Each structure stands twice: as C-alpha cells, then as structure tokens.
Amino acid sequence: MFARRPVFAHPCSCAGLVPFLQGIFAYASYLCERDRKFILDTILNGLQRMEYRGYDSAGLEIEGDDPSKPLVFKEVGKVQFLRKHCLEAPVDMDKTFLSQTSIAHTRWATHGAPSTTNCHPHHSDATNEFSVVHNGIVTVHKELRLVLEKKGYKFVSDTDTEVAAVLAKYLYDSQKGKPISFTALIKSVIMELEGAFAFVFKSIHYPDEVVIARRGSPVLIGVKTEKKLKVDFVDVEFSAAADSEEATPAPPSSLLAPPVSTGPAGQLVHSQSRAFLSDDGMPQPIEFFIASDASAIVEHTKRVLYLEDDDIAHIAEGEFHIHRLRRDDGVSAIRAIETLEIELAAIMKGSFDHFMQKEIYEQPESVVNTMRGRVNFDTHAITLGGLKAYLKTIRRCRRIVFVACGTSYHSCLATRSIFEELTEIPVSVELASDFLDRRTPIFRDDVCIFVSQSGETADTILAMRYCLERGSLCVGVVNVVGSTISRESHCGIHVNAGPEIGVASTKAYTSQYIALVMMAIQLGEDRISMTERRKALIDGLHELPKQILQILQHDQEFQTLARTKLGKEKSLLIMGRGYQHATCLEAALKIKELTYMHSEGILAGELKHGPLALIDESMPVILVMTEDSMYKKVRSALEQVTARKGAPIIIANDTDTSLDDTQHQIIRVPKTVDALQGVLNIIPLQLLSYHISVLKGFDVDFPRNLAKSVTVE
C-alpha cells in the first residue's frame, strides 16, 4: 500500500494530463466457446458499469462472420441506445467463437462533436485493417494527420484518435510484406505519439490479438481462468533487438520513419510467461477483461493487473506479455496480479433510486470503514499504517501543503484548522491547477499531501510529480487502491469509503474528512498538552456513525423543504464561518453540480464586504450556525440577514434552545466536537441538493457536462 515507485518524466510531460472521462472496455477469450449474444452482453455491461465516468456516445467492434470483416456498432447517447442498435441489427446472435477479441468505448467529445463518425472505435481505412479505442488526448495529432494525408491516407473523423489507427496502417504498409509482430508495430506507433493516453489496438492482420498501451491514463486487465493461476505476477519482457541502437524506433525528428523488423517472433530475452499455463504446461481456457475502471471487471474476476506508464501489453492465443516502450527506465520488471477488494453489490443501486442516494445512505457504514482497524476507542489511540515509517519526518517538517481539486479541496479546507491546532505546523491548502500555474516554491523540508477520490485527478498528479522533483515528502490520500497517486507517492492513507459511482461526491468527502482528522490526531500525539483534545476528538469519531444515521431518519423533512422552499429558486447563498466555511463551499458545489442552480458558499465574516448587497426578501439563504467558538459571530450574521428582510434556513444543533423554531426554518443536527461538526452538517445539504435535482427532473448520477474522475490541466 502506497509503496514508493520510481517516477520518471515523459516526453509529453509538458502537455500535462488530460480528462479521463471516457471508458475503455475490451474482452478477449481463448478456448472458451462463446456465442455472439454473450459477447455483446459482456462488453455492453462493461460499458454500462463505467457510465458514471461521463460520455456522450458509445461504440464497439466484435468479430464478424468473416474474420476480415468485423462488425462495428456506434450510437450517440447512452449505452442503452447502443444496446438497442446491436440487438436490432440483422446478425446471427447464435454464432459461436472458440476464441475472439472485442473492443468497446464510451466517448467524451474533445475533438469533434458527438456523432457516430467521431465515436470510437476508429479505423485505419474503409476495410477496418486496424481498429483502436482510446482514452486521453494525442497532442501531436494535427502534425501527424498532415504528414499522413500527404502520403495519401484518408481521414473521416475530427478526432485525435483516428491518427493512431491510420499511423498503424502506414507503418504496417511500410514493411512491404516483411513480417513484424503486432507488439513491435504498436510500439513504433506509440513512439510517434505525445500526450496522455490509454489505447487498445485490434487488427484483421493479427486475428485474436489485442495490444494495450498506457501512458498517463489508467488501464487494468482482469484475468479469469477455470484453474488457479500458478504465479501472482507477470514478467516484463524485452526484445533482444532492443539492446541495439539500430532496432530503436526513430526519434520524433524523423517523423513516421518505418519500424525496423525484429524478426517473426521478436526473439524475446525472457522466456514466455507461464502465468496462464495449466499444471501440465498446456494452454488452458482463459478470458481477459481490459478496462479503464475496476467496476467494469469485478463481476467477471477479482484477479487484475495494473499497467504502468509506457507498458505495452500483448494478448494472443491465451498468452499475456508485457513489454516496455524503453528498456532500463528504472521501472519494476514485474507486474503483480492483485485481488480486487470491491464487491459487485457495491456498484449496484440495490433498492435506491440513484447511486447518489445510495451513497449518502451508506455514510454511517463508510465512515466506520474509514476508521476500521485504525482507531482504538478504549486507549484513545490512532494507528495509520501507511504513515508509520514517516511520522517523525512529517513532524519535523517546515510546513504542510495540501493539494487537491473540487470536493477533495474542501475536505482539506475543513481540516486545516485541526492540523494547525494539533501539530503547530503551518498549513496551506492549494487548488492543484493554481498551484501549478504559480509554480509554487516547494522545498525538501515541506510535506505535501495530495487528496483525490479516484487517485487519478490529472492536476493533482501533475502537482505531485512537481513536488517529487523538488524533493519534498509526498503523501497520498485516495479512495481507489492501485491508483496513480497511491503508487507514486511516498506514503499515504486509503480512505476506504468503497466505490463511489455518483458523479457528485458524498461519502468520499466525509471519509476524506475523517481520514485527515485521524492523520492530524496521530501527528499531534507527541504533544502532551493536547491529550484531552485528542481524546475528545476520538470520542467524537466513535459517535459519528449513529449521529449520521439520526440525520438520515429526517430525510422526508428535507424532501419537503426542497419542494416547498428551494425547488423553484434560481440562486442560493450558503453562509458559515470557521470550520463550517468548507461545509458551505462543499454544499454550494453540490447545488451547482446537481441542480444547475447558481449557488455560492460565503464566509460569514465577509458578509459586510460585498455579499450583503445580495440580501433581500427574495434571496434564499442557508446559514450554518452550529455551536462552536464562532457561534456568536455567526449569530451576528443572522441578524444582519434578517434585518434586510432575509429569511434564512438555519442549520443548528438540536441542543441549541436560543433559536425559535416558530420564527425560523431550522434544520436540527446532533452536536459533536467542533472539528467534526462539518461531517454532520453536510449530510442534510447533500440530501437537499439531491431532492432539488430530482424535483427538477435532472439526471442525479450523471449531471450534464461533468464526469467522475476528471480535471483538465
């Protein structure tokens, strides 16, 4: 967990990472008799598992009746439309295949409008000699397209992806009949590309083979066999010819130089991988599932392998091989076959109407999972195994720098104060994009903490690599095991919130909040003067699950409030102070994401410096006014709002008797320690945003223009 691995710069690093909105799914089977209906169901279900990533069109390619004529289906809109299109097509659904390869994709438009022409898979020509699905962006596609067009190759789409397929055909044609392996060919293609991407290539020239390449965009491969795998790793293989300069693909300056053939078999130095052979050394029936996300694989197998940047994987005849784009680049020579921890039920809605609703209701359990095995409530001790070896280093640091985006940024803001109080170390909180824009000075005695639900947030990864280059200790706080941040950081914490499918983050926020509070408590345990404060916080953590459950029991009241007070509004101000400023920002973000309503989180102390001008009897206001050290100051803000005919909805503790329920609309929440109150205060605001969105008839789980794991540098 959070093992330190070497980090290296790519030629494309200046281009940064790109939106990982799309979803790749591919299915390859060997010696497994499967009919076309089963194959279609498998890949369509895989795409549907990744719908939360965001997309505007979908497409797939499966084997045709003639091996040289694959079947291609594309559709704008949801995967369900693609499914309908496939099922209505005049094809034999009962035709069986002993071995086959299929590829599929959900696209988010970056180059060219959503259309069936721009939808993946993309092809090299009208006969579909080479097919490709792709996540990410190829930054040199215009230059490559221009060169290829001058050589007589045609393009039909507006996308950057098509250039990879056409380039593969050009390099194949350049061999003029000389044999070249699929892996060597695709390696030459990748050498010409710049950007951040994941590719899956398929070709009629290499039947029942697929090649997968990764740089920057996550991709994992699931393995399913009838018998137990003999080993739990796969060797990285190197071509013998790669030892010589002559076999190295041409540098970018000699654009589109054809690859040098390394012979029919590639002459591998390593023996072929034996991971998937049976005990008697014979090939066994095997299925491979390639995806951008574990949620698409878990229903088939829990045995997965994560590719590293610049890995090129080759699947053919039941064998699986991994090659490197460049040799001796300092990356581990094996790839571990890991076991997925998630369950299929965790990515299903069950009895709930939406994933977001399910995830809000899972919070009593998810916060327990975040604390499980880490908090001893009897001895008031916290043990975070991922930080154990680095605690002394962190305590000696000059400052702590949090770097995050969106909801993760708000969890950092929410816990900054408790970090400063318990550790007496200066803390700054940075938005990753701004952190990079400013080229913020970072020193070797800084500790930088990178918070991300997915662990694949583009700007946060770039910021982490920036800090690694400057020698600071980098700590990752992520929800997804095996993600880029968890692999490349020195140490860290998995928040263990479980899969979060809804685009608007809910349980990940509260779990991040708790994980960071636990981290602050452990870092401050060497300060005797803070012993009682730490005990109070740990006691507060113990009570949180049942207090969240108490709030959820009032959901019907929040639904009524959404319908009668907020459902038809066009704007909303949310005010708070101290620990609750982050609560206001996070609530405003949820309102924006789900209801498309203008909303603004306002620091109540800044009310007189401009925002007060917005207040009148028609402006809806929510005021977070729970009992802490800021209570009197927030009470002053309430008086300022009511003096201008405002009628705020107040979030207050159930122990607060100073507020008259007949004069104000009040949402009551249980009282806890001030530093943890934000975990409880956000729950009713999550539910309000959910109910307003439902009332407006919007897609709660997939808001327009948004996706789950995305930032754009």
Side-chain angles (χ1 to χ4, degrees):
M1 187 184 296
F2 285 95
R4 178 73 177 96
R5 302 192 186 186
V7 179
F8 52 95
H10 300 295
C12 65
S13 58
C14 60
L17 295 171
V18 292
F20 303 138
L21 301 155
Q22 309 101 324
I24 284 175
F25 188 80
Y27 172 48
S29 56
Y30 176 68
L31 300 182
C32 301
E33 191 169 310
R34 300 286 185 255
D35 63 38
R36 185 172 281 144
K37 177 68 165 56
F38 177 91
I39 294 166
L40 275 172
D41 284 341
T42 299
I43 56 179
L44 287 166
N45 289 343
L47 291 183
Q48 286 189 307
R49 295 276 184 251
M50 295 185 291
E51 283 189 308
Y52 73 95
R53 293 173 67 89
Y55 69 104
D56 48 48
S57 53
L60 60 87
E61 178 179 310
I62 59 174
E63 303 289 358
D65 295 335
D66 182 339
S68 65
K69 295 179 181 179
L71 300 176
V72 180
F73 300 93
K74 300 182 180 183
E75 198 67 55
V76 175
K78 297 292 186 182
V79 174
Q80 66 191 49
F81 301 144
L82 177 63
R83 184 185 293 273
K84 184 172 184 288
H85 178 37
C86 293
L87 295 179
E88 291 176 350
V91 296
D92 180 7
M93 290 294 178
D94 297 323
K95 181 176 175 60
T96 59
F97 300 85
L98 187 61
S99 300
Q100 62 80 42
T101 56
S102 305
I103 58 176
H105 188 267
T106 52
R107 175 180 185 257
W108 179 284
T110 56
H111 297 78
S115 68
T116 52
T117 303
N118 290 329
C119 183
H120 301 217
H122 284 289
H123 301 94
S124 56
D125 59 349
T127 60
N128 301 339
E129 285 187 44
F130 290 89
S131 307
V132 64
V133 290
H134 163 223
N135 282 0
I137 289 178
V138 178
T139 57
V140 293
H141 71 100
K142 290 182 180 178
E143 295 87 343
L144 288 169
R145 179 185 286 246
L146 184 63
V147 172
L148 289 165
E149 285 177 335
K150 287 181 178 179
K151 293 181 180 292
Y153 290 86
K154 304 295 184 183
F155 289 80
V156 297
S157 77
D158 302 318
T159 69
D160 57 328
T161 303
E162 189 181 9
V163 75
V166 177
L167 177 56
K169 176 171 169 54
Y170 163 72
L171 294 175
Y172 182 83
D173 292 345
S174 300
Q175 293 298 299
K176 298 179 179 178
K178 295 179 182 178
I180 182 172
S181 70
F182 202 6
T183 304
L185 178 68
I186 299 308
K187 186 181 290 189
S188 299
V189 171
I190 300 302
M191 291 291 284
E192 297 287 358
L193 303 181
E194 294 181 12
F197 44 70
F199 284 107
V200 180
F201 287 89
K202 185 176 182 290
S203 172
I204 61 174
H205 298 298
Y206 304 93
D208 297 332
E209 296 186 40
V210 288
V211 175
I212 308 104
R214 173 201 161 135
R215 181 187 294 162
S217 184
V219 63
L220 68 158
I221 300 165
V223 183
K224 182 179 180 181
T225 57
E226 293 178 359
K227 300 176 182 178
K228 185 178 180 181
L229 300 181
K230 294 180 66 177
V231 294
D232 58 359
F233 66 90
V234 174
D235 287 330
V236 177
E237 302 173 6
F238 299 98
S239 169
D243 291 327
S244 65
E245 287 297 318
E246 291 75 20
T248 304
S253 58
S254 53
L255 195 67
L256 300 188
V260 177
S261 175
T262 60
Q267 301 300 315
L268 296 176
V269 173
H270 285 228
S271 61
Q272 70 176 23
S273 170
R274 290 181 292 273
F276 309 120
L277 299 181
S278 59
D279 291 335
D280 58 7
M282 297 298 292
Q284 63 173 319
I286 189 168
E287 295 170 283
F288 297 95
F289 305 89
I290 302 108
S292 310
D293 195 301
S295 62
I297 292 179
V298 66
E299 66 181 292
H300 304 290
T301 178
K302 290 192 174 185
R303 303 293 283 160
V304 300
L305 180 148
Y306 292 87
L307 294 186
E308 299 280 0
D309 282 352
D310 281 342
D311 277 352
I312 296 177
H314 179 222
I315 296 172
E317 296 182 339
E319 294 185 7
F320 178 73
H321 301 269
I322 297 178
H323 307 263
R324 291 294 296 167
L325 192 61
R326 301 171 181 83
R327 4 178 350 109
D328 301 328
D329 52 11
V331 175
S332 171
I334 64 169
R335 299 290 176 268
I337 299 172
E338 303 176 20
T339 301
L340 289 176
E341 298 297 332
I342 63 174
E343 299 292 338
L344 181 60
I347 58 172
M348 303 291 284
K349 281 188 286 195
S351 60
F352 293 94
D353 295 328
H354 301 91
F355 281 112
M356 182 184 176
Q357 183 187 30
K358 174 175 178 275
E359 287 152 10
I360 291 173
Y361 273 82
E362 283 176 341
Q363 287 176 109
E365 181 182 351
S366 62
V367 298
V368 170
N369 290 337
T370 302
M371 295 185 278
R372 193 184 305 280
R374 294 166 166 173
V375 186
N376 187 319
F377 294 107
D378 296 326
T379 61
H380 291 89
I382 285 179
T383 304
L384 298 172
L387 300 180
K388 190 174 182 180
Y390 293 88
L391 287 174
K392 290 182 179 179
T393 304
I394 299 172
R395 288 171 182 149
R396 290 197 306 265
C397 73
R398 182 171 69 168
R399 64 172 174 164
I400 294 173
V401 181
F402 284 102
V403 183
C405 303
T407 287
S408 297
Y409 171 76
H410 297 153
S411 68
C412 298
L413 276 179
T415 53
R416 172 175 58 183
S417 180
I418 197 64
F419 263 88
E420 291 176 331
E421 180 186 348
L422 296 182
T423 67
E424 290 191 336
I425 298 171
V427 177
S428 65
V429 182
E430 302 279 354
L431 282 165
S433 56
D434 184 55
F435 177 86
L436 291 164
D437 291 345
R438 296 185 351 251
R439 298 191 64 80
T440 306
I442 293 293
F443 305 98
R444 293 180 65 85
D445 53 356
D446 290 334
V447 170
C448 300
I449 302 174
F450 302 90
V451 185
S452 167
Q453 189 280 136
S454 66
E456 302 290 351
T457 310
D459 282 330
T460 308
I461 292 171
L462 286 175
M464 179 180 66
R465 291 173 177 166
Y466 173 91
C467 295
L468 285 167
E469 290 172 3
R470 284 152 182 78
S472 66
L473 179 68
C474 292
V475 182
V477 180
V478 303
N479 189 35
V480 178
V481 176
S483 59
T484 298
I485 290 177
S486 71
R487 295 198 318 273
E488 295 189 6
S489 54
H490 293 101
C491 59
I493 308 169
H494 286 118
V495 302
N496 298 335
E500 189 175 63
I501 305 300
V503 168
S505 183
T506 51
K507 66 177 182 177
Y509 173 75
T510 50
S511 286
Q512 285 173 351
Y513 193 130
I514 289 168
L516 292 173
V517 169
M518 290 193 300
M519 182 178 176
I521 294 171
Q522 185 164 26
L523 289 175
E525 66 185 10
D526 60 338
R527 296 185 61 212
I528 297 174
S529 61
M530 285 291 166
T531 301
E532 292 306 314
R533 176 65 160 156
R534 291 195 304 274
K535 286 183 177 180
L537 286 165
I538 292 172
D539 288 338
L541 289 172
H542 183 267
E543 299 301 315
L544 274 181
K546 67 180 182 183
Q547 290 177 323
I548 294 173
L549 192 58
Q550 289 175 28
I551 296 172
L552 293 174
Q553 290 170 351
H554 294 276
D555 189 18
Q556 195 65 41
E557 298 170 22
F558 306 141
Q559 187 173 1
T560 302
L561 183 60
R563 184 176 63 254
T564 58
K565 294 281 187 180
L566 300 172
K568 296 182 180 180
E569 299 293 348
K570 302 295 184 184
S571 187
L572 176 63
L573 304 181
I574 307 173
M575 302 179 189
R577 191 162 179 164
Y579 285 107
Q580 303 314 315
H581 179 221
T583 303
C584 298
L585 294 175
E586 173 61 12
L589 178 61
K590 289 293 156 284
I591 295 290
K592 292 171 192 168
E593 288 177 314
L594 296 170
T595 72
Y596 317 148
M597 180 197 305
H598 167 259
S599 57
E600 189 174 346
I602 296 174
L603 185 65
E606 292 294 298
L607 198 55
K608 289 182 178 178
H609 299 282
L612 200 58
L614 297 171
I615 303 299
D616 59 21
E617 66 274 11
S618 62
M619 172 61 73
V621 176
I622 295 177
L623 190 64
V624 184
M625 198 173 79
T626 43
E627 296 173 309
D628 57 23
S629 60
M630 296 290 112
Y631 182 80
K632 290 183 179 179
K633 293 181 178 180
V634 181
R635 186 78 188 230
S636 174
L638 170 62
E639 291 168 358
Q640 293 175 52
V641 170
T642 54
R644 286 153 183 85
K645 299 182 180 179
I649 298 168
I650 302 171
I651 296 180
N653 289 130
D654 50 16
T655 56
D656 188 350
T657 58
S658 65
L659 290 171
D660 188 345
D661 290 77
T662 62
Q663 291 185 355
H664 303 287
Q665 180 78 54
I666 301 175
I667 297 173
R668 298 285 185 176
V669 294
K671 185 177 180 179
T672 186
V673 188
D674 54 0
L676 299 175
Q677 188 68 55
V679 175
L680 300 179
N681 292 350
I682 196 62
I683 307 296
L685 294 167
Q686 291 173 347
L687 287 166
L688 279 173
S689 61
Y690 168 77
H691 290 306
I692 295 170
S693 181
V694 172
L695 285 168
K696 290 177 177 284
F698 297 144
D699 191 336
V700 177
D701 289 327
F702 311 114
R704 68 186 184 197
N705 305 333
L706 299 177
K708 187 67 181 170
S709 304
V710 56
T711 57
V712 183
E713 200 234 344

